[in-house]
Every structure is written in C-alpha cells, then in structure tokens.
Amino acid sequence: MSSTNGREAIIGIDLGTTNSEVAVVEDCQPRIITDGGDGILPSAVGLDMDGRLLVGEPALNQMLAAPERTVRSIKRRMGTADKVRLGDVEYTPQEISAVILRHLKERAERYLGAPVRKAVITVPAYFNDAQRQATREAGELAGLEVVRILHEPTAASLVYEAERCRGEAAIGPRKILVYDMGGGTFDVSIVEIHSGVIEVRASHGDTHLGGDDFDALLLDHVAERFLKERGVDLRSIPRARARTLRAVERAKRVLSSHPFVTVEEEFIAERDGVPLHLSVELRRDDYEAMIRPLIERSMGSVQTALHDAKLLTRDIDRIVLVGGATRTPLIQRELAARTGIEPHHEVDPDLCVALGAAAEAALIAGEDLHSVLVDITPHSMGVGCLDELDEELGPYLFSPVIPKGSTLPAARSEVYYTASDYQKVVEVCVYQGEERDVRRNTKLGTFRVEGLTPVPAGNEIVIQFQLTLDGTLTAKATEKATGLSRQIVVDDALHSFTDEDRARARERLDRLHRLEVDGGSPAAAGAEGGATGEVASAEPAAQPAGKSPQDQAIEDTVRRIRALLDRMVPEDREEAVELIDRATSGAAAGRLEDARAAHRELQEMLFFLEEA
Ligand code: AMP
C-alpha cells in the first residue's frame, strides 16, 4: 500500500484539453509529479507506425505527419456519443481519456514506489452530468476509483485557501474569482467558501478565446510585414506558416517578461530562387494593443459572472489566475485596474488545478496540509523613476520590475527612457517594497551607466532583474541601441523589510517634507534616489495621468520645432506639422504610444535641424 503519511495516497489529476498533470500531497505539501520533466503531459494519444501506443509529447510530435493515428483535445468530446479513429479501430472519448489517466497513474506509482488506486479528477465548472459521468468512467477504465470529481475553479481556489477549507468556522465566508485562460478556452468562476463548504456560485466563459487567438494576431502582424517587405505571404505556404506560428508563440511568452523580442527564422521561404530569412522585432506595447480587444471581451465575461452571482467587485476577496495565457501582463493589469485587487499568480497557473486536486485528495484522506505558497518573492523589486508623484515631479516613483509574489527564480526586464536630451549618464536606484514613493521602500543599491550615446530624450534603457532562490539579485541596465551595460549584484535581496526599516524610511520622508515647507528642495536635501546634475533616473514607459514629464517634453520639442518651421523645406514642414498634430492631440487623447512615436520623430528632426 502506498503511503505519504502511513495512509494510502490519493492522487489529484487535472485532465486538461491541451495538457494534463498529476500531483500528490507529501510532507503536508502538494507536489507535481514530474517524471524528470516539467510534469506537463500533453493530452495527446497516438499509434506509431508499428502500432505501438504513444502518449503525451511523442504523440503530439507525430500529429502533423500522421493525423489519422493521433488524437488531441479529446476533452471537448467527453459526454458525447462521438467515436475517434486511431489506426483501424474506433474508440470512445472515455477510452482515449483513460489512456492519459493510466499514464499519469503509472507516473505516480513509479514516483511513490507503490500502487495507486484512488484519484480526485477535475472537470470544468460548466461540464454537465453526461460529461462528468464520462470522466468518472474514464478513471475507472484506467483502474482508478474516482473518489471525487472536482470543479477546476474549486481546485484552484483550494490551493490558496487550503486552511479555510478544513472547516475552520471562525474564518468568515470568502469569495474568490477564478480567471482561467488557456490556449483555446476561457472561463471565469466565482467560488464561495463558507465554513469549509466550497461551491461555484457562477461560471461564465468563451469556448473560443485563449492564447491561440493571441498567436493568430501575431502571425498576421508578422506575415503582413514580411509580405510588404519581401512580397511573400508566409501564411500561404503551410510549412512556413507552421514555423512562423511556432516562432510567434515562443515570442509571445518572452513578451510576458521582457519589453521586446526578435522573431527570427532562417530560410523561411524563397523568392526567385533566393532564400529569405525572417527577422522582426516585436514590442510589448504593440502586442498589447493587438490583443486588447480580446482581453476586453474576457472582462465582459467577468462582469457577467459577477452579475450571475449577484455580487459586485468589492465583494470579492481574492482573484486567482489559472491557465498559461494568464501570464500575459496585460491580463493581470486589466484585472487589477477593474477590480482594485491584485490577482494571485504565485502558484504556476499551469499546475494550480492539479495541486488543488491533490489538496482535495489530502483533505479527503484526512491528511495535514500546509500552505502551497513557497519560493515566491515576498516584496516587489524595482527602480526609482523620474515622474510625477502627488503632483510633484521628482525621481521618486517606484516602478516594479519583479512584482511581489513572483515565483523564484525570476527573470524580468522593463524598458525606460532617458528624460533629457543628450543625456550621457543614467543612475539606477534599486528598491524593495510596495510603496509608490521609493523613499518609503528599502534601497538595495545604486549604479550608473556612463557614456550613453548623446541623443534626444527617449533613449531606451532596458533594466533587467534576475532573482535567484537564495535571494541574490542581479540588476542590469543596457542602452538598447548600443548594448552598453552595467550591473550590480545584491546579496540577500530577499531580506525582509522590517518594521524598523519602515519606521526609518517614514522618518526620512517626514524630514524631507519638513525641509520642503521650510524652503529646501528634496534633491538639495540629498534624498536617496535623487537625480542630480546631468544624471537623471530613467523615466517609465507608462506615464500616469496628469502633466507628466513626457507631456512637458512634447511641449518643449513642439515649441522648438515651431521656431524652425520657416527654415524647413516644404516637405519637411508638412511632415513636421503632421507630427506636431499627432504628438499633441495624441497626448491629449491618451494615445500615448502614437504621441511618443511622433515625439521621437520630432526630436530626431530637431537633432538634425539644430545641428545644421
Ligand atoms: P494552458 O492551456 O493552460 O496550458 O495554456 C496554454 C496557453 O498559454 C498557450 O496559448 C500558451 O502559448 C500560453 N502561454 C504559456 N506560457 C505563456 C507565457 N509565459 N506568456 C503568455 N502566454 C503563455
């Protein structure tokens, strides 16, 4: 008999449309059983040329070459009378699912070194009785007693609320919003926990919305550009299309933690016998503009689910993210902006449901359960930027690079812009904390990058942070155009921000405010993170509302360009007038990206005109 605590182990299985996982509670902690890899088993089943059974990655790999011998996304057919053909034989959806479940059961048995007979299996909240029954049958065909069919959003909530689910009545009711976006489907559920009873109060979704749609938009964007520049439509050549799609999907993942990425594929096509290579830089800002309408659509579902549950956003205690696509920062930002609640993504959104299934299994078995949350950064790590804070311009706005709650190790980067024309130096001040004003956070270190190219304001500086499990933070700043970079290493960056540190920061800040009332300026008082002389901290890409340094810079550039209009040749003048209009009306109407792009072009113009 297998045992994690002298008892028979019950495994938790997330039987997904695209991927499946198995987990078990050990030492009071749910763990994914990985079998050496990352624990994610593609939900694909196939037969190879010799009729041998393939499960997971090998089946997926032969999908293109042998679609008649491969089955994917069987979950979409559960509960129907459909049959799928594998080679010469037809199978029911239950039978195909049973193959996946058996593979996971055997994986667990190898890991635990003992037979496994019982499992908790998850299903979407919208599954009807026939679909749930089919899932139960699939489990039984795989040799498992299905001790519970659990809703996926319930499982995800359990990961974050395990202690509340042990029936601790003293803890009041909790309402959790679970936003689940995978590759092809999206759903949002409202889960309520009350005295240990956990139920889905409402669920709403869109079976045709997910990360695959983001890939399709990127594919079109890249292909259109290639068509314009090279005269070949990559979408019309099946192999080139498949390669480009794979490349943009990878690029999309990179954009979740970096502001730029270059999609590169050699020999992607040819024209008149000449090989063509693909190389396109994608910017997160542009990508976000492309996917925004889809994200808006998902936010409509959030409203519907709240309405169905007769709740308002202020009634929600926690937001939990599930599904790979929720790593997209725009989704996290939009949810936070609309609800005022920072969504939780500490637990890997691909593994959250399986971990919750294992937690439920442990609760059924009467096992002890500790918090699942380990190896996350307890504080945000970021830099100080020149911006408006409480209507005062200064280098005190905190811009997080690695947000609080990120899983470790973490590597992220953000882009910032120099604030002054011909700026040769940036000083980067690194902080830990959650306050918008860096003076209330803990300073971890500071460094300078000297010798920047003397160009107009807006020189792109990429700040990259890497934080290891043992708390070593490497902060690096790179001038994007030249690759010039500097870095610092901070040991023990996870050292907690103590009450004493906080009190000291407050005191420093109060002293500064007093000085200001008395007529001394904060910079003159030697504030930490201050920008002096030609050194200025970088300015963030996203400006808050109000008259930002960007608006001021636009005004300044426009004034200088206007003074030169008479000296320009007619074509330049026409272009300048158009750019002035784009920069000023764009800034006023909140089209910041366009305003910034026009501003940069105006600055370039100015650079040449004033040189001349
Ligand atoms: P799932 O069905 O939950 O496995 O989610 C798969 C979807 O998540 C696919 O569209 C992936 O491209 C997407 N995905 C995975 N990792 C990331 C990431 N780091 N950023 C954005 N999307 C991601």
Side-chain angles (χ1 to χ4, degrees):
M1 183 175 286
S2 64
S3 166
T4 54
N5 193 12
R7 294 192 184 90
E8 181 177 0
I10 307 177
I11 54 174
I13 295 180
D14 171 6
L15 183 60
T17 309
T18 325
N19 295 310
S20 299
E21 298 83 21
V22 58
V24 69
V25 168
E26 271 188 318
D27 304 328
C28 309
Q29 198 76 54
R31 285 180 220 285
I32 294 289
I33 302 178
T34 63
D35 217 12
D38 58 5
I40 295 176
L41 178 77
S43 305
V45 174
L47 291 178
D48 74 5
M49 280 195 316
D50 302 322
R52 276 185 306 238
L53 184 65
L54 302 173
V55 186
E57 203 69 48
L60 200 60
N61 290 342
Q62 69 155 27
M63 181 78 205
L64 275 183
E68 73 290 356
R69 283 189 274 113
T70 320
V71 178
R72 275 182 73 187
S73 305
I74 195 67
K75 186 170 171 178
R76 290 189 191 272
R77 299 188 186 210
M78 290 293 269
T80 70
D82 289 358
K83 293 271 175 65
V84 290
R85 183 172 281 279
L86 256 191
D88 300 333
V89 184
E90 286 196 327
Y91 296 91
T92 62
Q94 289 93 312
E95 287 165 338
I96 299 292
S97 291
V99 173
I100 298 167
L101 289 171
R102 208 169 105 183
H103 190 91
L104 292 171
K105 171 182 185 283
E106 287 169 0
R107 178 184 282 190
E109 287 173 338
R110 275 195 302 281
Y111 176 76
L112 294 167
V116 169
R117 291 182 303 205
K118 294 181 180 177
V120 169
I121 303 179
T122 59
V123 295
Y126 59 77
F127 255 28
N128 60 26
D129 273 351
Q131 291 166 307
R132 295 158 66 95
Q133 185 52 30
T135 307
R136 203 176 267 284
E137 283 166 16
E140 280 156 17
L141 285 172
L144 286 165
E145 179 192 337
V146 183
V147 295
R148 188 154 303 165
I149 292 281
L150 185 68
H151 283 143
E152 288 161 10
T154 306
S157 306
L158 253 170
V159 169
Y160 290 93
E161 303 270 343
E163 68 280 12
R164 292 169 199 275
C165 299
R166 276 190 237 115
E168 288 166 22
I171 302 169
R174 302 266 296 169
K175 297 182 186 68
I176 299 139
L177 188 151
V178 182
Y179 180 106
D180 179 349
M181 191 181 278
T185 61
F186 163 70
D187 53 71
V188 54
S189 307
I190 313 288
V191 175
E192 183 165 359
I193 300 175
H194 198 354
S195 310
V197 178
I198 178 162
E199 63 162 340
V200 179
R201 275 187 61 169
S203 191
H204 194 265
D206 191 329
T207 45
H208 294 284
L209 176 62
D212 299 348
D213 299 296
F214 303 172
D215 302 345
L217 288 173
L218 280 173
L219 173 70
D220 277 340
H221 173 79
V222 168
E224 284 295 332
R225 241 173 91 175
F226 197 80
L227 178 62
K228 211 160 119 201
E229 288 167 11
R230 306 303 192 90
V232 174
D233 190 346
L234 295 172
R235 290 161 295 190
S236 66
I237 312 162
R239 207 177 124 70
R241 182 183 187 282
R243 277 181 66 192
T244 313
L245 189 59
R246 256 203 315 272
V248 296
E249 197 271 341
R250 280 196 303 268
K252 173 188 77 172
R253 290 172 186 244
V254 175
L255 287 176
S256 290
S257 47
H258 300 281
F260 316 97
V261 63
T262 303
V263 180
E264 273 185 312
E265 289 287 311
E266 293 201 328
F267 304 108
I268 190 85
E270 62 169 44
R271 190 176 180 198
D272 305 329
V274 179
L276 300 175
H277 308 301
L278 172 69
S279 176
V280 176
E281 184 182 77
L282 298 174
R283 300 177 68 96
R284 192 197 283 159
D285 290 352
D286 298 333
Y287 166 60
E288 290 187 343
M290 279 177 226
I291 62 169
R292 189 173 280 282
L294 296 178
I295 303 222
E296 293 281 332
R297 219 165 89 195
S298 77
M299 295 299 154
S301 295
V302 170
Q303 281 312 325
T304 308
L306 283 167
H307 179 264
D308 292 352
K310 300 189 175 52
L311 294 175
L312 299 171
T313 45
R314 67 162 181 267
D315 300 319
I316 296 296
D317 297 292
R318 199 194 275 277
I319 298 179
V320 170
L321 299 181
V322 181
T326 61
R327 293 195 180 90
T328 310
L330 182 61
I331 292 181
Q332 299 172 10
R333 287 206 314 274
E334 276 299 298
L335 275 170
R338 283 164 190 256
T339 61
I341 304 169
E342 271 310 320
H344 281 266
H345 49 87
E346 294 93 324
V347 175
D348 186 325
D350 286 321
L351 309 179
C352 196
V353 169
L355 290 168
E360 174 77 0
L363 290 170
I364 292 171
E367 303 240 352
D368 265 351
L369 201 56
H370 291 166
S371 167
V372 182
L373 305 181
V374 286
D375 300 343
I376 55 165
T377 154
H379 300 293
S380 301
M381 311 271 165
V383 293
C385 304
L386 180 65
D387 213 310
E388 243 177 47
L389 193 67
D390 303 331
E391 297 181 4
E392 173 199 336
L393 183 67
Y396 305 120
L397 183 75
F398 181 57
S399 169
V401 178
I402 296 183
K404 171 182 171 176
S406 302
T407 16
L408 295 175
R412 297 180 73 94
S413 57
E414 290 293 339
V415 64
Y416 300 85
Y417 302 98
T418 52
S420 328
D421 288 345
Y422 317 117
Q423 190 174 321
K424 295 205 193 94
V425 182
V426 281
E427 179 162 334
V428 182
C429 299
V430 181
Y431 295 88
Q432 175 208 74
E434 312 311 321
E435 300 283 344
R436 266 168 58 77
D437 189 328
V438 291
R439 291 167 292 184
R440 289 183 184 272
N441 290 332
T442 303
K443 191 171 183 181
L444 297 177
T446 173
F447 64 104
R448 292 157 64 101
V449 188
E450 300 184 356
L452 299 175
T453 319
V455 290
N459 189 3
E460 289 173 330
I461 310 291
V462 180
I463 307 269
Q464 189 179 11
F465 276 22
Q466 266 181 324
L467 185 59
T468 63
L469 264 171
D470 65 6
T472 307
L473 174 72
T474 308
K476 181 174 176 183
T478 308
E479 184 181 32
K480 182 164 180 275
T482 61
L484 172 76
S485 70
R486 288 286 173 277
Q487 67 176 50
I488 52 164
V489 177
V490 182
D491 294 326
D492 203 18
L494 290 176
H495 168 79
S496 281
F497 191 23
T498 63
D499 286 347
E500 210 178 306
D501 293 332
R502 210 185 295 270
R504 239 182 276 135
R506 292 245 153 83
E507 201 184 308
R508 273 199 305 272
L509 200 58
D510 291 344
R511 220 173 27 234
L512 274 175
H513 284 319
R514 279 200 302 276
L515 269 175
E516 207 172 16
V517 173
D518 295 345
S521 80
E528 290 184 344
T532 50
E534 63 178 344
V535 184
S537 299
E539 171 190 356
Q543 297 284 347
K547 192 162 179 185
S548 63
Q550 188 75 33
D551 289 340
Q552 284 174 354
I554 290 176
E555 260 181 43
D556 179 51
T557 308
V558 166
R559 188 174 32 76
R560 283 157 63 193
I561 281 274
R562 282 214 170 105
L564 298 169
L565 281 177
D566 288 346
R567 277 173 40 196
M568 294 184 198
V569 294
E571 300 86 78
D572 281 358
R573 192 177 313 127
E574 221 172 85
E575 194 189 354
V577 170
E578 194 196 313
L579 287 171
I580 289 175
D581 183 49
R582 266 178 57 201
T584 49
S585 63
R591 292 189 307 274
L592 295 185
E593 262 316 294
D594 191 45
R596 240 175 247 146
H599 182 214
R600 238 171 273 148
E601 285 187 53
L602 281 173
Q603 285 177 315
E604 269 166 35
M605 237 180 199
L606 204 56
F607 183 65
F608 289 110
L609 286 167
E610 291 183 337
E611 283 279 288

